[in-house]
Amino acid sequence: EPEVTQTPSHQVTQMGQEVILRCVPISNHLYFYWYRQILGQKVEFLVSFYNNEISEKSEIFDDQFSVERPDGSNFTLKIRSTKLEDSAMYFCASSEAGRGSYEQYFGPGTRLTVT
Amino acid sequence: QQQVKQSPQSLIVQKGGISIINCAYENTAFDYFPWYQQFPGKGPALLIAIRPDVSEKKEGRFTISFNKSAKQFSLHIMDSQPGDSATYFCAASIITSGTYKYIFGTGTRLKVLA
């Protein structure tokens, strides 16, 4: 069964450093998302991406964040200068194109720890 | 208002019992309501979902009941098993700028006692 994959599974970085989280969405999906889950809290929407551009972003997704689809398979989230409060699980999700294809499939997540 | 309220925060059920988790929303623009199951250290996995034109959907031991007028929906897990012990999130989907964004509830930590 196709699945969303994410690398790395755990990333430790120092405050102020740049990190890139990588995702490989399901191959025939065209809509991509990043969500964040701070430990013990709910999953929060960060950004949606379609046709090589951001469709929507939340208030959390400030200028320190960016997304990119550098090739036909990868989808990345970059945090330019990490803060302690960026420590969280980051989930990538993807869904099929077209109205009615509501289901979003989530990857296993990347645990980001900022020290 | 784009919030989804979920209760209870935690739930303990005996093996074989029924687990019930409730969610409520305000925004009538929500048009799809999935439930996700999450085990520790894993990503949310889609469990079952419903559209607002249906009042109930059943898949195996899992049933969603949907009350459009009350803007509430619930997950029932029949014959609960220890393997069902996980955190359950309800969500509501809304289309914005051409893509569907999920708004998640706060989660319910379910423990099924053997």
Side-chain angles (χ1 to χ4, degrees):
Chain A
E1 186 176 321
E3 57 184 18
V4 177
T5 59
Q6 289 184 244
T7 54
S9 57
H10 190 190
Q11 174 89 48
V12 181
T13 189
Q14 288 191 327
M15 197 167 53
Q17 295 297 304
E18 175 184 286
V19 293
I20 297 176
L21 310 183
R22 291 183 167 79
C23 167
V24 178
I26 294 173
S27 62
N28 64 332
H29 288 186
L30 297 178
Y31 294 81
F32 313 114
Y33 310 84
W34 283 100
Y35 291 82
R36 180 182 83 173
Q37 185 179 33
I38 293 171
L39 186 63
Q41 297 186 25
K42 69 177 179 180
V43 179
E44 299 175 288
F45 170 80
L46 289 179
V47 66
S48 59
F49 189 88
Y50 170 68
N51 200 26
N52 281 319
E53 60 183 29
I54 290 174
S55 298
E56 186 180 356
K57 55 186 180 180
S58 71
E59 314 83 59
I60 303 167
F61 195 90
D62 62 23
D63 292 343
Q64 294 301 311
F65 290 86
S66 62
V67 289
E68 194 178 37
R69 186 147 163 87
D71 53 44
S73 59
N74 290 283
F75 179 50
T76 62
L77 174 69
K78 182 194 290 186
I79 309 174
R80 262 180 273 281
S81 177
T82 49
K83 307 186 196 76
L84 293 176
E85 54 264 37
D86 293 328
S87 295
M89 281 290 283
Y90 288 82
F91 294 106
C92 172
S94 69
S95 64
E96 283 183 73
R99 191 170 181 82
S101 298
Y102 298 85
E103 293 88 357
Q104 292 184 19
Y105 295 90
F106 283 72
T110 292
R111 179 173 298 284
L112 176 65
T113 303
V114 182
T115 61
Chain B
Q1 182 66 293
Q2 289 196 359
Q3 275 189 11
V4 178
K5 294 181 181 177
Q6 184 171 346
S7 63
Q9 194 172 25
S10 63
L11 182 61
I12 299 175
V13 171
Q14 292 287 340
K15 179 181 174 182
I18 301 173
S19 304
I20 302 174
I21 304 170
N22 301 299
C23 285
Y25 64 97
E26 289 294 324
N27 192 338
T28 54
F30 289 137
D31 60 358
Y32 178 72
F33 301 88
W35 283 90
Y36 280 82
Q37 179 188 57
Q38 186 181 31
F39 292 104
K42 304 293 184 184
L46 180 64
L47 194 60
I48 187 173
I50 199 166
R51 306 267 175 95
D53 53 349
V54 176
S55 62
E56 186 175 280
K57 183 174 180 180
K58 184 175 179 178
E59 287 183 2
R61 296 185 294 109
F62 301 93
T63 300
I64 300 179
S65 297
F66 189 85
N67 186 330
K68 189 174 181 177
S69 60
K71 289 184 272 186
Q72 295 174 347
F73 58 110
S74 59
L75 175 70
H76 292 62
I77 305 174
M78 313 300 287
D79 186 27
S80 299
Q81 299 297 312
D84 297 330
S85 297
T87 299
Y88 292 81
F89 291 95
C90 64
S93 174
I94 186 167
I95 184 167
T96 55
S97 306
T99 58
Y100 292 94
K101 174 173 81 173
Y102 280 5
I103 307 296
F104 280 87
T106 49
T108 296
R109 187 171 293 186
L110 171 66
K111 182 168 180 145
V112 181
L113 302 176

